[in-house]
Amino acid sequence: MKRLTIIFILIAQLVNAQQKEVFTVDAFIQLIKQNHPVAKQANIQVEKAKAELLSAKGGFDPVLALEADRKTFDGKNYYFHTNPELKIPTPIGIDVKTGVENNGGTNLDSELSSGKTSYAGVEVALAKGLLIDKRRAVLQQAKIFNQQSEQERLKILNDLLFDAYVSYWQWAGNYQLYSIYSKYLQISNDRLRLVKIAYNNGDRAWADTIEAFTQVQNFQLLQADAQLKLATSVFDMSNYLWLKNDSAFILPERFVPDTVRFSMKESLPALNDIVAKASTENPSIKAYNFKLDALEVERRLKFQSLLPVFNFKANLLNKDYYVLKGFNGALLENNYKWGIDFKLPLFLREGRGEYKKTKLKITETNLELNAKRWQVENKVRSYFTEASLLEQQLTTVTSMYNNYNALLKTEVLKFNNGESSLFVVNSRENKVIEAAQKQIELKVKYLKAKYAVDWAAGLLR
């Protein structure tokens, strides 16, 4: 009894080892998006843009500075300065600063206040740099490039997934073709065995055994060729198979494609809908829009070069380290320091040249955007037309296959009743095989064209 149990366990394990597992296209694509190196590289581009944005925000970080020096010579204290300062840039272009000073010595500069003092003040640009300056422009462009990097990621993923879809359905088509040849090879072998029995019994001519054997050889060649194509497509599809630890692997033999999904009819969306989506969601087009946004920021910055430099500085002063101690009108009237900085190039040639170059860049980019949008729309229309024609051909070939199959069944029935010849049966069978092969080839081409429509529109995610 124990030995019998062990035998049943071994048989169950053998059956389980031989069972096939369907590897669906959705699971395949999900694996690519998670583990493929190109998909990970695309994600890195987004992370790099986020790092650039963080770096640009650093232009508005508060700065703590300390300036200190001292001179002593021959026992004489010439001077000493200690000036810690906190400067806080703001997004509106005003820099706020506060600090304290401790100055002294026999040779102290007359402009410096002796003893402990404190101050609080602002620096603001009233002309050039009032609405936008280099720091704010860099931050705004970094935010735009961060959004643009997401479109670059989607563009890379769109290209990767299109190639992956094509590879998967090519594998499914080759598997389907190999299965059909294997099926008819088995049928032809069974027929050869029956014909040999009939020949030995004197019911069939010797030529019928040759006819049956030739058909077996024909299917053996077709099966071998299909097996080679299937193996090649497995290796091609394995280019997209990666584990989480960044190691590639070959698709195990137990996995088979989703032949049910392959055989299902997948209709095309409306052309106008897909063209409309392409014009708004295509990552290449959206990337151009972000590029234009960045150039607009640059144009506004270059326009500042046409304005004069007019900066205003004002500090509120007080004794000791309490700048707001005793804050009143008298303090504002008597304890302050202010100044202006004015500069105006007389011809503004540099500013005018830079501003003009930026406007030309915007015009150039708009032309590129229009050309890109038209190119994308025409690509979508081209692949849509191809897919529509292939869909019609596929419908015709499917009808032909069904008709040839019906004729084959009728001819086999006649042959079994002695009313037909094996030559006619083989001819009918070959027509069925040719129609099935054409049907699979057209289905693969149709699926490739259908996914090409989404690829051209930039919608593969």
Side-chain angles (χ1 to χ4, degrees), residues 20-36:
K20 298 296 184 180
E21 185 176 345
V22 176
F23 187 35
T24 65
V25 65
D26 294 333
F28 176 56
I29 295 300
Q30 187 63 28
L31 192 64
I32 292 173
K33 290 193 285 188
Q34 290 177 351
N35 300 333
H36 197 280

Side-chain angles (χ1 to χ4, degrees), residues 357-380:
K357 282 196 300 183
T358 304
K359 291 184 67 176
L360 290 173
K361 284 182 185 178
I362 293 175
T363 302
E364 182 182 40
T365 304
N366 271 312
L367 292 173
E368 291 176 359
L369 173 59
N370 292 335
K372 186 64 178 180
R373 183 180 286 113
W374 183 243
Q375 181 186 31
V376 167
E377 291 180 3
N378 281 335
K379 268 189 178 181
V380 170

Side-chain angles (χ1 to χ4, degrees), residues 8-254:
F8 278 126
I9 292 174
L10 291 175
I11 292 175
Q13 290 178 346
L14 181 62
V15 170
N16 289 332
Q18 293 176 345
Q19 284 181 346
K20 298 296 184 180
E21 185 176 345
V22 176
F23 187 35
T24 65
V25 65
D26 294 333
F28 176 56
I29 295 300
Q30 187 63 28
L31 192 64
I32 292 173
K33 290 193 285 188
Q34 290 177 351
N35 300 333
H36 197 280
V38 174
K40 289 184 176 181
Q41 288 173 354
N43 293 331
I44 289 175
Q45 297 300 317
V46 177
E47 295 301 318
K48 287 169 65 177
K50 290 180 180 179
E52 290 290 340
L53 177 58
L54 180 62
S55 177
K57 289 180 179 179
F60 295 92
D61 287 346
V63 177
L64 181 62
L66 173 64
E67 181 182 352
D69 56 354
R70 178 183 295 269
K71 181 178 179 180
T72 302
F73 183 71
D74 196 20
K76 182 179 180 181
N77 186 4
Y78 275 70
Y79 60 82
F80 64 88
H81 306 143
T82 304
N83 182 13
E85 180 182 78
L86 176 64
K87 188 174 184 179
I88 305 175
T90 65
I92 59 175
I94 299 176
D95 291 348
V96 180
K97 63 179 182 178
T98 184
V100 295
E101 293 183 357
N102 186 10
N103 305 317
T106 58
N107 288 54
L108 185 66
D109 193 324
S110 60
E111 292 184 2
L112 300 177
S113 302
S114 179
K116 297 178 180 179
T117 59
S118 56
Y119 62 90
V122 295
E123 294 181 10
V124 57
L126 299 179
K128 181 179 181 180
L130 175 62
L131 300 179
I132 190 171
D133 55 20
K134 184 68 174 178
R135 288 179 307 177
R136 283 179 280 175
V138 169
L139 179 58
Q140 290 178 26
Q141 288 183 330
K143 291 179 179 179
I144 293 170
F145 292 147
N146 184 41
Q147 296 174 297
Q148 186 177 357
S149 68
E150 175 63 18
Q151 301 307 313
E152 294 296 333
R153 184 189 74 84
L154 292 177
K155 180 181 176 182
I156 294 173
L157 192 62
N158 184 59
D159 294 339
L160 175 64
L161 293 186
F162 173 67
D163 293 337
Y165 274 119
V166 172
S167 180
Y168 181 90
W169 293 121
Q170 191 66 57
W171 172 52
N174 288 333
Y175 179 84
Q176 194 87 324
L177 199 60
Y178 175 77
S179 300
I180 289 176
Y181 289 149
S182 299
K183 169 189 172 182
Y184 280 95
L185 176 59
Q186 182 62 44
I187 291 174
S188 62
N189 272 315
D190 292 341
R191 186 181 297 127
L192 175 61
R193 180 175 54 82
L194 294 174
V195 169
K196 283 182 177 180
I197 294 173
Y199 168 71
N200 292 331
N201 294 334
D203 295 331
R204 290 289 178 185
W206 176 76
D208 287 340
T209 61
I210 301 298
E211 184 74 31
F213 182 65
T214 302
Q215 188 73 342
V216 170
Q217 290 179 316
N218 179 43
F219 286 133
Q220 285 175 339
L221 289 175
L222 292 174
Q223 186 197 45
D225 183 65
Q227 188 174 15
L228 176 61
K229 291 179 179 178
L230 177 60
T232 302
S233 62
V234 168
F235 291 128
D236 180 66
M237 200 182 73
S238 296
N239 290 327
Y240 302 94
L241 299 178
W242 293 77
L243 300 175
K244 289 183 178 180
N245 60 358
D246 297 331
S247 59
F249 67 95
I250 301 295
L251 186 70
E253 293 184 1
R254 73 176 186 275

Side-chain angles (χ1 to χ4, degrees), residues 189-390:
N189 272 315
D190 292 341
R191 186 181 297 127
L192 175 61
R193 180 175 54 82
L194 294 174
V195 169
K196 283 182 177 180
I197 294 173
Y199 168 71
N200 292 331
N201 294 334
D203 295 331
R204 290 289 178 185
W206 176 76
D208 287 340
T209 61
I210 301 298
E211 184 74 31
F213 182 65
T214 302
Q215 188 73 342
V216 170
Q217 290 179 316
N218 179 43
F219 286 133
Q220 285 175 339
L221 289 175
L222 292 174
Q223 186 197 45
D225 183 65
Q227 188 174 15
L228 176 61
K229 291 179 179 178
L230 177 60
T232 302
S233 62
V234 168
F235 291 128
D236 180 66
M237 200 182 73
S238 296
N239 290 327
Y240 302 94
L241 299 178
W242 293 77
L243 300 175
K244 289 183 178 180
N245 60 358
D246 297 331
S247 59
F249 67 95
I250 301 295
L251 186 70
E253 293 184 1
R254 73 176 186 275
F255 286 108
V256 295
D258 188 352
T259 53
V260 175
R261 175 83 176 269
F262 181 80
S263 302
M264 290 174 59
K265 183 177 181 181
E266 298 192 16
S267 301
L268 289 168
L271 177 59
N272 292 335
D273 292 342
I274 201 76
V275 169
K277 281 186 176 181
S279 62
T280 58
E281 299 183 24
N282 186 283
S284 296
I285 293 176
K286 295 184 75 173
Y288 270 109
N289 288 327
F290 286 122
K291 184 178 179 180
L292 284 171
D293 292 341
L295 285 173
E296 176 60 23
V297 173
E298 183 179 346
R299 185 197 66 79
R300 290 165 53 204
L301 179 63
K302 297 300 182 183
F303 179 77
Q304 299 296 302
S305 301
L306 304 177
L307 302 177
V309 174
F310 185 31
N311 298 330
F312 174 75
K313 302 177 183 179
N315 286 341
L316 175 66
L317 309 177
N318 207 341
K319 293 181 179 181
D320 293 323
Y321 291 160
Y322 304 100
V323 67
L324 297 180
K325 183 179 179 181
F327 183 81
N328 53 38
L331 181 66
L332 293 175
E333 290 178 4
N334 299 317
N335 296 349
Y336 64 86
K337 177 184 177 182
W338 68 272
I340 61 172
D341 181 16
F342 182 80
K343 188 186 300 182
L344 175 63
L346 295 181
F347 298 112
L348 296 174
R349 285 182 288 197
E350 181 181 1
R352 286 186 289 139
E354 292 296 323
Y355 184 68
K356 185 175 182 180
K357 282 196 300 183
T358 304
K359 291 184 67 176
L360 290 173
K361 284 182 185 178
I362 293 175
T363 302
E364 182 182 40
T365 304
N366 271 312
L367 292 173
E368 291 176 359
L369 173 59
N370 292 335
K372 186 64 178 180
R373 183 180 286 113
W374 183 243
Q375 181 186 31
V376 167
E377 291 180 3
N378 281 335
K379 268 189 178 181
V380 170
R381 292 187 179 96
S382 175
Y383 286 122
F384 186 90
T385 301
E386 180 183 355
S388 299
L389 293 175
L390 287 170

